[in-house]
Amino acid sequence: MLNIAHRGASGKHPENTLLSFQKAIDLNVDMIEMDVRVSGCGTPVIIHDETVSRTTGGRGKVRNKNIASLKKLDAGNGQQIPTLSEALNLIDGRCGINLELASCGSGILTARSLEASHGIWDSIVVSSFLIKELIEFHAQLPRIRLSYLTDDLNLKDMEKISLLPFYSINMNKDFLNKFVVDWLHGLSFQVFSFTVNTKEERRLMGNWGVDGVFTDYPELFHK
Ligand code: G3P
Ligand code: MG
């Protein structure tokens, strides 16, 4: 089962920072998940929330701030909010990367940023709850694997899943069970679950045949 560091090793280090990504690499994780949003000047940056308040103590929306003002904020332990390009450079093929398209416009801008990078594309998976962003990303870079993110896999999700050649379905662990995992495997999808933070939960996911778990505590499942 893949050990996927959710926002880096975010249980012990500030989420979505170069520090949390480096700590995850040190733990030999299979993959690091991070959230991509578009800044006011169009640079893709790595931050989960729409606003900067929870993670930096600053104020305002990411999309209303240019890169210079985002860089002045403290994302925890003196870390800055990384750009996508800084995160890719740090990881540099040392583990897989799951880029979650988290905001409007992130699909196109992430594709452009990857096109300009040095092409470790086989180790990248792009995921989103936002089908429009996935469609726009896929139109630019069709060879990169895609994951569909959902909490509970309802009927609307099933329609959306039919629109693109998804590699995996990534579901909230609270809505998953063995029947759903078997059914998705039967449709040839990999199944990943989030957010799995205890050994007990991970054992359960293993029993159901889940292929990978997103966790804030990758050290718990250290190989
Ligand atoms: O990709 C798994 C998980 O990150 C999705 O939810 O809100 O943590 O981005 P969220
Ligand atoms: Mg995420």
Side-chain angles (χ1 to χ4, degrees), residues 6-7 33-35 48 98 100 102 127 129 149 151 170-171 193-195 214 216:
H6 181 236
R7 312 179 194 174
E33 185 263 3
M34 63 187 77
D35 305 284
H48 180 270
N98 181 155
E100 179 183 340
S127 66
F129 291 100
L149 270 172
D151 278 315
N170 302 355
M171 275 185 69
S193 66
F194 60 89
T195 304
F214 295 87
D216 299 332

Side-chain angles (χ1 to χ4, degrees), residues 25-197:
I25 292 166
D26 295 344
L27 290 164
N28 200 25
V29 298
D30 296 297
M31 194 176 277
I32 295 173
E33 185 263 3
M34 63 187 77
D35 305 284
V36 185
R37 285 187 176 271
V38 181
S39 70
C41 54
T43 304
V45 291
I46 309 301
I47 183 167
H48 180 270
D49 297 1
E50 186 178 11
T51 73
V52 298
S53 58
R54 179 180 60 86
T55 52
T56 72
R59 293 182 66 168
K61 293 187 174 174
V62 176
R63 67 164 181 265
N64 292 337
K65 291 181 178 294
N66 65 23
I67 194 69
S69 66
L70 288 170
K71 281 290 182 189
K72 285 186 191 138
L73 299 168
D74 185 345
N77 291 2
Q79 292 288 300
Q80 293 181 328
I81 296 170
T83 63
L84 171 58
S85 146
E86 286 167 345
L88 293 173
N89 284 338
L90 175 88
I91 296 171
D92 194 26
R94 291 186 286 167
C95 66
I97 302 175
N98 181 155
L99 300 175
E100 179 183 340
L101 306 175
S103 76
C104 184
S106 58
I108 296 257
L109 288 164
T110 297
R112 284 195 194 137
S113 187
L114 291 181
E115 278 168 330
S117 76
H118 45 80
I120 39 160
W121 296 352
D122 290 345
S123 62
I124 293 176
V125 184
V126 166
S127 66
S128 191
F129 291 100
L130 310 170
I131 191 71
K132 176 175 167 285
E133 299 309 318
L134 289 165
I135 289 171
E136 289 181 1
F137 178 87
H138 185 67
Q140 296 275 317
L141 279 182
R143 60 171 273 206
I144 293 195
R145 289 175 295 169
L146 299 177
S147 300
Y148 184 78
L149 270 172
T150 177
D151 278 315
D152 58 353
L153 201 62
N154 58 38
L155 214 54
K156 278 209 172 110
D157 290 319
M158 293 313 297
E159 275 175 49
K160 291 177 190 167
I161 285 168
S162 68
L163 298 175
L164 290 167
F166 286 105
Y167 152 76
S168 76
I169 308 299
N170 302 355
M171 275 185 69
N172 186 317
K173 68 175 191 321
D174 296 333
F175 293 92
L176 207 50
N177 57 48
K178 182 157 171 37
F179 172 81
V180 174
V181 175
D182 287 347
W183 180 66
L184 289 170
H185 280 159
L187 296 171
S188 299
F189 296 116
Q190 295 279 294
V191 182
F192 300 149
S193 66
F194 60 89
T195 304
V196 174
N197 281 341

